[in-house]
Amino acid sequence: MTTHHFTRQEPSRWRGALHRRTSPAAVGTAMVLLLAACGGDGGGGGGGESDAEFNEGETAVVNPSDETGGTLRYAISADFDSPDPGNTYYAFSWNFSRYYARTLLTYTQAPGEQGIELQPDLAEDMPEANEDSTEWTVRIKQGLRYEDGSEITAQDIKYAIARSNFGDQALPNGPKYFQGLLADSEDYEGPYGEGEDPLAGFGGIETPDDHTLVFHLNKSFSEFPYVLIQPQTAPVPPDADRGEQYQSDVVSSGPYKFDGEYRPGVSLNLERNEEWDASTDPTRRALPDRIEVQLGVDQNEIDQRLVNGELDVDLGGTGVGPAMKGTLITDEGQRHNVDNPQTSTLRYLNVNTVVEPLDDLACRQAVMYAADRDALQRAWGGDTGGDIATQIMPGSLPGADPSIDLYPSEDNKGDLDMAREKLEECGEPDGFSTSIGARADRPADVSTAEALQQALARVGIETEIKQYPSDTYTNTQAGSPAFVHENDLGLTVYGWAPDWASGYGFMSKILDGDAIQDAGNSNISELDDEQINEWFDEVVSVEDADERASIYTQIDQRAMEQAAILPAVFERTVLYRPANLTNVYYHAGYSMYDYMALGTTED
């Protein structure tokens, strides 16, 4: 997920978390909720000075409280790609959309290892699979209602998946897992066609009654339950849908609803949804009376307002900016309000395999050797900003191999001799020129681009940094192959968190050739390697978790050999939690604080 982005840990956290038929969720969920309610001994009970410790929120609930009321205040330096649950791929948006959008499955609400486990949300129980995992049956709870009191049906969920995945007018943002997985849907033109029935021809999902969905897959897929946590499974009433304009006033299935319309670049406010039934919802505490989001606020201003008590949460979830980071880490008066968790987000640069001369492997390898990894880490804030990465998969994921280091150098400063040798090999002995794309409103992205620019210049590779806004970057600039080619974006700064906690959930959208798309493309390097594609096709039918992990190791190794991704750091974020914020903890599934748990002691 773009961090995003997900964006997001020991291998044991995910092994065995998936069961082919039904998961023993009842006992696990009860234990998780108990842990979340207790939260350890670090809480200060809310307002005033918290007695929490530095980084306590990585493993425990800080300031546990059941206090309701008040307004929770968010801000972000950019904007949503879209607040429409079916049209978003930023990790913070997946997290935040749960205020008003319930999904078939969800993560448990708990810090640490428990938070990555799956449990039902709209679903009554965990999905049931047939013998070869090509058919999955999900039954949804009865009595669920939208904000207008109308009933949520299985057909509404089927429609929501259709609008996000199928047809020329399918929503552009977000992954297209359902499009690739569902059988009997090859000729389906999507719900925005000219026919009277928007679901005519959509055979991949069967709805035998109003409360049952049967997913028919075109191949065995053992990790399919993880796909069902996506916001794309949040129900949409067909009569309310307005395509991309639906984002203005999303119909709520969760504890909050839009208060007025979403104002792009300005604000999004939520108020309580009286039709939401808390007894059907095990993971949303819905403590505040109101949620307010300010958009397009300068990062330095956000950081200062957090520290001053004028804001509660930085919506982006990627931590304070460089100016505030060092201050908070070293200030003994503030450290107790700071968390510095290691996330499973990889910060990296795409090395495009199509843009000349980077279409030549040796030229891409020259970039890899010339890169100054020490400078890239410093661009992300040094040790508190992240750990130097030499492979693609975060070390917490099954199959990750930290011994993968194909482009080593002394003190991580770069091997300039090898870089020059590779430039000779690709026919560019004097170097070449290309551009580096970065998000203008993310200081660390820009610093990363500058660090790489300086490193590459040492071997004659000249680069121009081109900056774009975050809210369009993943769709119309870096995420558009046509735009990338037209603007010579041979290198692009990016971040990635798992769509779910496995090698497939982390790597398939950024490395599988089948994932390349015209807009909202996440395989920005446009890597289309036959062997890697074959491994991705093979791994989905493998039942044994250890065998899948071994294949993921091979994919990581092969992608690094192809020099399609230049890893920078496995991110550590510096997150600030004001003393008035309750139930604060880092959630491994969303790679940031769990927004659904939060409350405030202030009015």
Side-chain angles (χ1 to χ4, degrees):
M1 136 186 28
T2 313
T3 60
H4 259 36
H5 257 115
F6 190 243
T7 282
R8 310 42 235 92
Q9 327 138 325
E10 301 298 329
S12 61
R13 294 185 185 187
W14 295 290
R15 292 183 184 177
L18 200 67
H19 300 274
R20 271 187 11 100
R21 296 194 179 276
T22 57
S23 172
V27 174
T29 298
M31 181 63 70
V32 164
L33 293 176
L34 177 61
L35 287 170
C38 296
D41 58 3
E49 290 296 323
S50 169
D51 61 0
E53 297 178 358
F54 172 74
N55 205 28
E56 185 172 336
E58 182 173 16
T59 56
V61 179
V62 178
N63 293 340
S65 173
D66 292 325
E67 183 174 340
T68 60
T71 297
L72 204 56
R73 303 161 298 176
Y74 288 84
I76 188 171
S77 61
D79 199 346
F80 295 90
D81 48 357
S82 172
D84 180 344
N87 193 26
T88 180
Y89 210 4
Y90 276 134
F92 77 83
S93 188
W94 282 31
N95 190 0
F96 185 85
S97 67
R98 295 181 296 149
Y99 278 124
Y100 51 85
R102 297 183 64 178
T103 50
L104 285 174
L105 302 181
T106 189
Y107 289 123
T108 52
Q109 190 180 75
E113 296 180 2
Q114 295 89 355
I116 208 66
E117 296 173 5
L118 299 181
Q119 70 175 54
D121 188 354
L122 292 172
E124 214 170 39
D125 295 297
M126 293 295 288
E128 297 178 3
N130 64 354
E131 287 300 322
D132 63 359
S133 298
T134 58
E135 181 178 291
W136 296 80
T137 300
V138 183
R139 294 174 181 84
I140 66 171
K141 298 165 183 170
Q142 301 196 25
L144 301 172
R145 301 195 178 278
Y146 292 111
E147 64 180 76
D148 64 359
S150 60
E151 186 178 10
I152 295 171
T153 68
Q155 290 84 357
D156 294 346
I157 298 170
K158 178 178 179 178
Y159 178 84
I161 292 169
R163 68 192 287 270
S164 297
N165 286 268
F166 292 94
D168 293 338
Q169 300 178 64
L171 301 174
N173 298 323
K176 299 290 188 281
Y177 288 111
F178 289 107
Q179 182 189 97
L181 287 171
L182 293 176
D184 304 322
S185 304
E186 296 82 3
D187 299 325
Y188 176 53
E189 297 181 355
Y192 301 129
E194 297 180 358
E196 292 185 7
D197 181 359
L199 297 178
F202 186 15
I205 303 176
E206 180 186 357
T207 51
D209 57 57
D210 285 349
H211 300 96
T212 306
L213 299 107
V214 183
F215 295 87
H216 300 282
L217 309 188
N218 53 31
K219 56 188 174 185
S220 175
F221 194 74
S222 57
E223 297 184 5
F224 185 69
Y226 283 114
V227 181
L228 303 182
I229 66 172
Q230 290 184 84
Q232 293 176 2
T233 68
V236 175
D239 291 344
D241 186 21
R242 295 188 292 147
E244 290 192 56
Q245 295 308 309
Y246 180 67
Q247 68 175 4
S248 297
D249 192 6
V250 174
V251 179
S252 175
S253 55
Y256 298 91
K257 61 183 180 181
F258 283 28
D259 179 16
E261 290 194 347
Y262 158 60
R263 301 168 63 200
V266 180
S267 64
L268 173 61
N269 298 323
L270 308 177
E271 60 184 358
R272 288 195 181 276
N273 172 18
E274 301 300 332
E275 294 294 332
W276 172 71
D277 183 355
S279 68
T280 70
D281 196 335
T283 61
R284 293 169 179 83
R285 305 186 71 178
L287 298 178
D289 286 333
R290 183 173 175 82
I291 314 291
E292 294 182 351
V293 181
Q294 298 178 38
L295 305 168
V297 182
D298 180 78
Q299 186 64 54
N300 291 331
E301 181 181 346
I302 289 174
D303 297 344
Q304 194 60 58
R305 290 169 65 185
L306 281 170
V307 173
N308 292 347
E310 299 167 10
L311 277 177
D312 302 311
V313 190
D314 181 348
L315 177 61
T318 56
V320 299
M324 183 65 73
K325 187 178 294 184
T327 299
L328 293 178
I329 290 292
T330 58
D331 185 349
E332 291 300 326
Q334 292 285 3
R335 278 176 60 87
H336 66 282
N337 289 328
V338 174
D339 292 313
N340 187 211
Q342 183 185 37
T343 74
S344 54
T345 294
L346 174 67
R347 297 293 175 180
Y348 64 99
L349 290 106
N350 298 286
V351 186
N352 192 278
T353 61
V354 177
V355 172
E356 295 180 350
L358 293 169
D359 57 336
D360 188 298
L361 173 60
C363 276
R364 298 198 300 275
Q365 291 173 329
V367 170
M368 304 292 280
Y369 278 115
D372 183 337
R373 296 179 188 275
D374 177 68
L376 292 176
Q377 184 190 38
R378 283 186 277 111
W380 277 96
D383 292 339
T384 59
D387 303 316
I388 290 176
T390 60
Q391 85 272 13
I392 295 169
M393 274 201 300
S396 52
L397 294 180
D401 182 1
S403 71
I404 296 174
D405 186 4
L406 304 185
Y407 310 96
S409 64
E410 187 176 353
D411 297 328
N412 291 305
K413 296 288 188 180
D415 187 334
L416 303 188
D417 290 336
M418 281 299 300
R420 293 186 182 101
E421 183 177 316
K422 289 297 179 179
L423 286 172
E424 288 275 359
E425 186 178 330
C426 74
E428 301 285 350
D430 298 323
F432 57 86
S433 63
T434 191
S435 298
I436 306 177
R439 286 170 280 205
D441 45 65
R442 300 197 177 186
D445 277 24
V446 177
S447 296
T448 297
E450 292 170 344
L452 183 61
Q453 181 182 54
Q454 294 169 14
L456 297 183
R458 298 178 300 174
V459 294
I461 301 175
E462 301 298 329
T463 57
E464 177 186 358
I465 298 173
K466 298 181 179 179
Q467 301 184 38
Y468 307 99
S470 289
D471 50 326
T472 59
Y473 188 69
T474 62
N475 186 36
T476 58
Q477 284 104 31
S480 167
F483 187 95
V484 166
H485 302 163
E486 290 168 7
N487 291 273
D488 193 33
L489 293 179
L491 302 162
T492 43
V493 183
Y494 216 52
W496 199 254
D499 287 348
W500 64 84
S502 79
Y504 193 95
F506 187 82
M507 293 189 294
S508 65
K509 289 302 176 187
I510 61 174
L511 295 178
D512 191 343
D514 291 340
I516 299 171
Q517 53 192 55
D518 292 337
N521 177 46
S522 297
N523 183 350
I524 299 173
S525 66
E526 297 182 72
L527 179 65
D528 192 8
D529 180 82
E530 184 176 346
Q531 179 62 76
I532 289 176
N533 299 345
E534 183 179 317
W535 278 327
F536 276 124
D537 289 340
E538 172 190 344
V539 74
V540 294
S541 61
V542 174
E543 290 289 340
D544 182 74
D546 290 333
E547 187 179 347
R548 290 201 303 271
S550 177
I551 296 173
Y552 295 142
T553 305
Q554 295 177 74
I555 292 173
D556 196 335
Q557 172 87 18
R558 174 77 176 178
M560 290 302 301
E561 291 171 354
Q562 293 301 305
I565 280 180
L566 169 57
V569 297
F570 293 120
E571 184 181 53
R572 287 185 177 272
T573 52
V574 177
L575 302 170
Y576 187 84
R577 41 176 159 77
N580 65 286
L581 207 58
T582 63
N583 306 306
V584 192
Y585 64 89
Y586 173 81
H587 193 287
Y590 295 101
S591 299
M592 60 190 71
Y593 289 144
D594 181 354
Y595 293 162
M596 293 307 96
L598 299 177
T600 178
T601 57
E602 295 185 357
D603 294 335

